[in-house]
Short mmCIF file of all heavy atoms in Angstrom, two decimals:
data_model
loop_
_atom_site.label_atom_id
_atom_site.label_comp_id
_atom_site.label_asym_id
_atom_site.label_seq_id
_atom_site.Cartn_x
_atom_site.Cartn_y
_atom_site.Cartn_z
N SER A 1 60.75 143.28 -12.25
CA SER A 1 59.61 142.54 -11.70
C SER A 1 59.30 141.29 -12.51
O SER A 1 59.08 140.21 -11.95
CB SER A 1 58.38 143.45 -11.65
OG SER A 1 57.26 142.77 -11.14
N ILE A 2 59.32 141.42 -13.85
CA ILE A 2 58.95 140.30 -14.71
C ILE A 2 60.05 139.25 -14.75
O ILE A 2 59.82 138.06 -14.53
CB ILE A 2 58.63 140.80 -16.13
CG1 ILE A 2 57.37 141.68 -16.09
CG2 ILE A 2 58.42 139.63 -17.09
CD1 ILE A 2 57.09 142.42 -17.39
N LEU A 3 61.29 139.68 -15.03
CA LEU A 3 62.41 138.73 -15.14
C LEU A 3 62.78 138.14 -13.78
O LEU A 3 63.27 137.01 -13.71
CB LEU A 3 63.62 139.42 -15.76
CG LEU A 3 63.46 139.91 -17.20
CD1 LEU A 3 64.77 140.49 -17.72
CD2 LEU A 3 62.97 138.78 -18.12
N GLY A 4 62.54 138.90 -12.73
CA GLY A 4 62.87 138.41 -11.38
C GLY A 4 61.79 137.52 -10.79
O GLY A 4 61.94 137.02 -9.66
N GLY A 5 60.69 137.33 -11.52
CA GLY A 5 59.62 136.46 -11.03
C GLY A 5 58.76 137.07 -9.95
O GLY A 5 58.09 136.35 -9.19
N HIS A 6 58.77 138.39 -9.85
CA HIS A 6 57.99 139.07 -8.80
C HIS A 6 56.59 139.49 -9.26
O HIS A 6 55.77 139.87 -8.45
CB HIS A 6 58.74 140.31 -8.32
CG HIS A 6 60.12 140.04 -7.82
ND1 HIS A 6 60.38 139.17 -6.78
CD2 HIS A 6 61.33 140.50 -8.23
CE1 HIS A 6 61.68 139.12 -6.56
NE2 HIS A 6 62.28 139.92 -7.43
N TRP A 7 56.36 139.44 -10.57
CA TRP A 7 55.07 139.92 -11.09
C TRP A 7 53.94 138.98 -10.71
O TRP A 7 54.05 137.77 -10.85
CB TRP A 7 55.14 140.04 -12.61
CG TRP A 7 53.89 140.66 -13.20
CD1 TRP A 7 52.76 140.01 -13.57
CD2 TRP A 7 53.67 142.05 -13.45
NE1 TRP A 7 51.83 140.91 -14.05
CE2 TRP A 7 52.36 142.17 -13.99
CE3 TRP A 7 54.44 143.20 -13.28
CZ2 TRP A 7 51.82 143.40 -14.35
CZ3 TRP A 7 53.89 144.43 -13.64
CH2 TRP A 7 52.61 144.52 -14.17
N GLN A 8 52.86 139.56 -10.19
CA GLN A 8 51.66 138.81 -9.84
C GLN A 8 50.46 139.41 -10.58
O GLN A 8 50.46 140.58 -10.93
CB GLN A 8 51.38 138.90 -8.33
CG GLN A 8 52.50 138.38 -7.44
CD GLN A 8 52.16 138.57 -5.98
OE1 GLN A 8 51.03 138.33 -5.54
NE2 GLN A 8 53.12 139.04 -5.20
N LYS A 9 49.48 138.58 -10.80
CA LYS A 9 48.27 139.05 -11.46
C LYS A 9 47.53 140.01 -10.54
O LYS A 9 47.28 139.71 -9.37
CB LYS A 9 47.36 137.87 -11.82
CG LYS A 9 46.12 138.29 -12.58
CD LYS A 9 45.27 137.07 -12.96
CE LYS A 9 44.02 137.50 -13.72
NZ LYS A 9 43.18 136.32 -14.08
N LEU A 10 47.18 141.17 -11.07
CA LEU A 10 46.46 142.18 -10.30
C LEU A 10 44.97 142.07 -10.56
O LEU A 10 44.55 141.79 -11.68
CB LEU A 10 46.91 143.59 -10.66
CG LEU A 10 48.20 144.13 -10.05
CD1 LEU A 10 49.42 143.57 -10.77
CD2 LEU A 10 48.22 145.65 -10.09
N SER A 11 44.20 142.30 -9.52
CA SER A 11 42.76 142.39 -9.70
C SER A 11 42.44 143.70 -10.43
O SER A 11 43.25 144.63 -10.47
CB SER A 11 42.05 142.39 -8.35
OG SER A 11 42.36 143.56 -7.60
N PHE A 12 41.27 143.77 -11.03
CA PHE A 12 40.87 144.98 -11.75
C PHE A 12 40.87 146.19 -10.81
O PHE A 12 41.29 147.29 -11.19
CB PHE A 12 39.48 144.79 -12.36
CG PHE A 12 38.96 146.01 -13.08
CD1 PHE A 12 39.51 146.41 -14.29
CD2 PHE A 12 37.92 146.77 -12.52
CE1 PHE A 12 39.04 147.55 -14.95
CE2 PHE A 12 37.46 147.90 -13.17
CZ PHE A 12 38.01 148.29 -14.39
N GLN A 13 40.42 145.96 -9.58
CA GLN A 13 40.37 147.05 -8.59
C GLN A 13 41.77 147.57 -8.29
O GLN A 13 41.99 148.78 -8.21
CB GLN A 13 39.70 146.56 -7.30
CG GLN A 13 39.58 147.61 -6.22
CD GLN A 13 38.69 148.77 -6.62
OE1 GLN A 13 37.72 148.59 -7.34
NE2 GLN A 13 39.02 149.97 -6.18
N HIS A 14 42.74 146.66 -8.13
CA HIS A 14 44.10 147.08 -7.81
C HIS A 14 44.79 147.73 -9.01
O HIS A 14 45.66 148.59 -8.84
CB HIS A 14 44.90 145.89 -7.29
CG HIS A 14 44.55 145.54 -5.87
ND1 HIS A 14 45.08 144.44 -5.22
CD2 HIS A 14 43.72 146.15 -4.98
CE1 HIS A 14 44.59 144.38 -3.99
NE2 HIS A 14 43.77 145.41 -3.82
N TRP A 15 44.44 147.31 -10.23
CA TRP A 15 44.95 148.01 -11.41
C TRP A 15 44.52 149.47 -11.36
O TRP A 15 45.32 150.38 -11.60
CB TRP A 15 44.43 147.36 -12.69
CG TRP A 15 45.34 146.34 -13.30
CD1 TRP A 15 45.12 145.00 -13.41
CD2 TRP A 15 46.62 146.57 -13.90
NE1 TRP A 15 46.18 144.38 -14.04
CE2 TRP A 15 47.10 145.32 -14.36
CE3 TRP A 15 47.40 147.72 -14.11
CZ2 TRP A 15 48.34 145.19 -14.99
CZ3 TRP A 15 48.63 147.59 -14.73
CH2 TRP A 15 49.09 146.34 -15.16
N LYS A 16 43.25 149.71 -11.04
CA LYS A 16 42.74 151.07 -10.97
C LYS A 16 43.46 151.87 -9.88
O LYS A 16 43.79 153.04 -10.08
CB LYS A 16 41.23 151.07 -10.69
CG LYS A 16 40.39 150.56 -11.85
CD LYS A 16 38.92 150.94 -11.67
CE LYS A 16 38.35 150.38 -10.38
NZ LYS A 16 36.90 150.70 -10.22
N VAL A 17 43.71 151.22 -8.75
CA VAL A 17 44.39 151.90 -7.64
C VAL A 17 45.78 152.36 -8.05
O VAL A 17 46.15 153.53 -7.85
CB VAL A 17 44.49 150.97 -6.41
CG1 VAL A 17 45.42 151.58 -5.35
CG2 VAL A 17 43.11 150.71 -5.82
N HIS A 18 46.57 151.47 -8.65
CA HIS A 18 47.96 151.81 -8.96
C HIS A 18 48.08 152.72 -10.18
O HIS A 18 49.03 153.52 -10.27
CB HIS A 18 48.78 150.54 -9.13
CG HIS A 18 48.99 149.80 -7.85
ND1 HIS A 18 49.70 150.35 -6.81
CD2 HIS A 18 48.56 148.58 -7.42
CE1 HIS A 18 49.71 149.49 -5.79
NE2 HIS A 18 49.02 148.42 -6.13
N LEU A 19 47.14 152.64 -11.11
CA LEU A 19 47.15 153.58 -12.23
C LEU A 19 46.82 154.99 -11.73
O LEU A 19 47.47 155.97 -12.13
CB LEU A 19 46.15 153.14 -13.30
CG LEU A 19 46.52 151.88 -14.09
CD1 LEU A 19 45.38 151.50 -15.04
CD2 LEU A 19 47.80 152.09 -14.89
N LEU A 20 45.83 155.09 -10.86
CA LEU A 20 45.48 156.39 -10.29
C LEU A 20 46.62 156.90 -9.40
O LEU A 20 46.93 158.11 -9.40
CB LEU A 20 44.19 156.30 -9.50
CG LEU A 20 43.71 157.59 -8.81
CD1 LEU A 20 43.54 158.71 -9.84
CD2 LEU A 20 42.40 157.36 -8.06
N ALA A 21 47.25 155.98 -8.67
CA ALA A 21 48.38 156.37 -7.82
C ALA A 21 49.51 156.94 -8.66
O ALA A 21 50.20 157.89 -8.26
CB ALA A 21 48.87 155.17 -7.01
N GLY A 22 49.73 156.36 -9.86
CA GLY A 22 50.75 156.89 -10.75
C GLY A 22 50.47 158.32 -11.16
O GLY A 22 51.38 159.15 -11.25
N ILE A 23 49.20 158.63 -11.38
CA ILE A 23 48.81 160.00 -11.74
C ILE A 23 49.03 160.93 -10.56
O ILE A 23 49.57 162.04 -10.70
CB ILE A 23 47.34 160.03 -12.19
CG1 ILE A 23 47.16 159.21 -13.47
CG2 ILE A 23 46.88 161.47 -12.41
CD1 ILE A 23 45.72 159.04 -13.90
N LEU A 24 48.62 160.49 -9.36
CA LEU A 24 48.74 161.33 -8.17
C LEU A 24 50.20 161.53 -7.76
O LEU A 24 50.65 162.67 -7.52
CB LEU A 24 47.95 160.72 -7.01
CG LEU A 24 46.43 160.74 -7.15
CD1 LEU A 24 45.78 159.88 -6.06
CD2 LEU A 24 45.90 162.17 -7.09
N LEU A 25 50.95 160.43 -7.68
CA LEU A 25 52.33 160.50 -7.19
C LEU A 25 53.28 161.11 -8.20
O LEU A 25 54.13 161.95 -7.84
CB LEU A 25 52.82 159.10 -6.81
CG LEU A 25 52.09 158.39 -5.67
CD1 LEU A 25 52.58 156.95 -5.54
CD2 LEU A 25 52.28 159.13 -4.36
N ILE A 26 53.17 160.68 -9.45
CA ILE A 26 54.16 161.08 -10.45
C ILE A 26 53.70 162.27 -11.30
O ILE A 26 54.36 163.31 -11.33
CB ILE A 26 54.50 159.88 -11.38
CG1 ILE A 26 54.96 158.69 -10.53
CG2 ILE A 26 55.57 160.29 -12.38
CD1 ILE A 26 56.17 158.95 -9.66
N THR A 27 52.55 162.13 -11.99
CA THR A 27 52.11 163.20 -12.88
C THR A 27 51.88 164.50 -12.10
O THR A 27 52.40 165.56 -12.48
CB THR A 27 50.82 162.80 -13.61
OG1 THR A 27 51.02 161.56 -14.28
CG2 THR A 27 50.43 163.87 -14.61
N LEU A 28 51.12 164.42 -11.02
CA LEU A 28 50.81 165.62 -10.25
C LEU A 28 51.87 165.92 -9.20
O LEU A 28 52.38 167.04 -9.13
CB LEU A 28 49.43 165.47 -9.59
CG LEU A 28 48.24 165.33 -10.55
CD1 LEU A 28 46.94 165.15 -9.77
CD2 LEU A 28 48.13 166.54 -11.46
N GLY A 29 52.21 164.93 -8.39
CA GLY A 29 53.17 165.15 -7.32
C GLY A 29 54.56 165.52 -7.83
O GLY A 29 55.09 166.60 -7.53
N ASN A 30 55.15 164.63 -8.62
CA ASN A 30 56.49 164.85 -9.14
C ASN A 30 56.52 165.96 -10.18
O ASN A 30 57.44 166.78 -10.23
CB ASN A 30 57.03 163.54 -9.73
CG ASN A 30 58.53 163.54 -9.87
OD1 ASN A 30 59.05 163.99 -10.87
ND2 ASN A 30 59.23 163.02 -8.88
N GLY A 31 55.50 165.99 -11.05
CA GLY A 31 55.47 166.98 -12.11
C GLY A 31 55.36 168.40 -11.60
O GLY A 31 56.11 169.29 -12.01
N PHE A 32 54.42 168.65 -10.70
CA PHE A 32 54.25 170.00 -10.18
C PHE A 32 55.40 170.40 -9.26
O PHE A 32 55.72 171.59 -9.15
CB PHE A 32 52.91 170.12 -9.44
CG PHE A 32 51.76 170.43 -10.36
CD1 PHE A 32 50.93 169.42 -10.82
CD2 PHE A 32 51.52 171.72 -10.78
CE1 PHE A 32 49.88 169.70 -11.68
CE2 PHE A 32 50.47 172.02 -11.63
CZ PHE A 32 49.65 171.01 -12.09
N MET A 33 56.03 169.42 -8.63
CA MET A 33 57.22 169.74 -7.83
C MET A 33 58.33 170.27 -8.73
O MET A 33 59.02 171.25 -8.40
CB MET A 33 57.70 168.48 -7.10
CG MET A 33 59.04 168.66 -6.38
SD MET A 33 58.99 169.91 -5.09
CE MET A 33 57.95 169.08 -3.90
N ALA A 34 58.50 169.66 -9.91
CA ALA A 34 59.51 170.12 -10.85
C ALA A 34 59.17 171.51 -11.39
O ALA A 34 60.05 172.37 -11.53
CB ALA A 34 59.66 169.13 -11.99
N LEU A 35 57.90 171.73 -11.68
CA LEU A 35 57.47 173.05 -12.15
C LEU A 35 57.74 174.12 -11.09
O LEU A 35 58.17 175.24 -11.42
CB LEU A 35 55.98 173.04 -12.51
CG LEU A 35 55.59 172.30 -13.80
CD1 LEU A 35 54.07 172.19 -13.90
CD2 LEU A 35 56.14 173.03 -15.03
N ALA A 36 57.50 173.78 -9.85
CA ALA A 36 57.73 174.74 -8.76
C ALA A 36 59.21 175.07 -8.62
O ALA A 36 59.58 176.17 -8.19
CB ALA A 36 57.20 174.18 -7.45
N GLY A 37 60.08 174.12 -9.00
CA GLY A 37 61.52 174.32 -8.88
C GLY A 37 62.05 175.46 -9.72
O GLY A 37 63.18 175.92 -9.50
N GLN A 38 61.26 175.93 -10.68
CA GLN A 38 61.70 177.06 -11.49
C GLN A 38 61.68 178.37 -10.72
O GLN A 38 62.39 179.31 -11.06
CB GLN A 38 60.80 177.21 -12.72
CG GLN A 38 60.89 176.05 -13.70
CD GLN A 38 59.96 176.23 -14.88
OE1 GLN A 38 58.75 176.34 -14.73
NE2 GLN A 38 60.53 176.26 -16.07
N THR A 39 60.85 178.43 -9.68
CA THR A 39 60.73 179.67 -8.92
C THR A 39 61.00 179.50 -7.43
O THR A 39 61.33 180.47 -6.75
CB THR A 39 59.30 180.26 -9.08
OG1 THR A 39 58.34 179.28 -8.68
CG2 THR A 39 59.05 180.65 -10.52
N ILE A 40 60.89 178.27 -6.91
CA ILE A 40 61.05 178.02 -5.48
C ILE A 40 62.38 177.30 -5.24
O ILE A 40 62.66 176.29 -5.89
CB ILE A 40 59.89 177.16 -4.93
CG1 ILE A 40 58.54 177.81 -5.26
CG2 ILE A 40 60.05 176.97 -3.42
CD1 ILE A 40 58.34 179.17 -4.65
N PRO A 41 63.20 177.76 -4.30
CA PRO A 41 64.46 177.09 -4.00
C PRO A 41 64.25 175.65 -3.54
O PRO A 41 63.19 175.31 -2.99
CB PRO A 41 65.05 177.94 -2.87
CG PRO A 41 64.37 179.26 -2.98
CD PRO A 41 63.00 178.97 -3.50
N SER A 42 65.24 174.82 -3.77
CA SER A 42 65.11 173.40 -3.43
C SER A 42 64.85 173.19 -1.94
O SER A 42 64.06 172.33 -1.56
CB SER A 42 66.38 172.65 -3.85
OG SER A 42 67.52 173.18 -3.19
N GLY A 43 65.51 173.97 -1.09
CA GLY A 43 65.32 173.81 0.34
C GLY A 43 63.91 174.15 0.77
O GLY A 43 63.29 173.42 1.56
N LEU A 44 63.38 175.24 0.26
CA LEU A 44 62.02 175.64 0.60
C LEU A 44 61.00 174.64 0.08
O LEU A 44 59.99 174.36 0.72
CB LEU A 44 61.73 177.04 0.06
CG LEU A 44 60.35 177.63 0.39
CD1 LEU A 44 60.10 177.61 1.88
CD2 LEU A 44 60.24 179.05 -0.16
#
């Protein structure tokens, strides 16, 4: 994003949105999905 010239200044509100989205999508979504993989088959 930075080297390719795609980075734009974010408003404070949008910083909050994407930081919270990171928690929801990755920390909780991706993290708990991996934890579930210990007992739940990948297909299920």
Side-chain angles (χ1 to χ4, degrees):
S1 179
I2 295 170
L3 296 184
H6 304 302
W7 186 272
Q8 301 177 43
K9 183 178 180 180
L10 280 78
S11 66
F12 178 71
Q13 181 64 34
H14 284 175
W15 266 113
K16 291 196 301 182
V17 170
H18 290 296
L19 290 175
L20 179 57
I23 296 173
L24 291 170
L25 297 173
I26 305 302
T27 305
L28 297 179
N30 199 273
F32 275 98
M33 173 62 69
L35 287 171
Q38 295 179 300
T39 56
I40 306 298
S42 59
L44 183 54

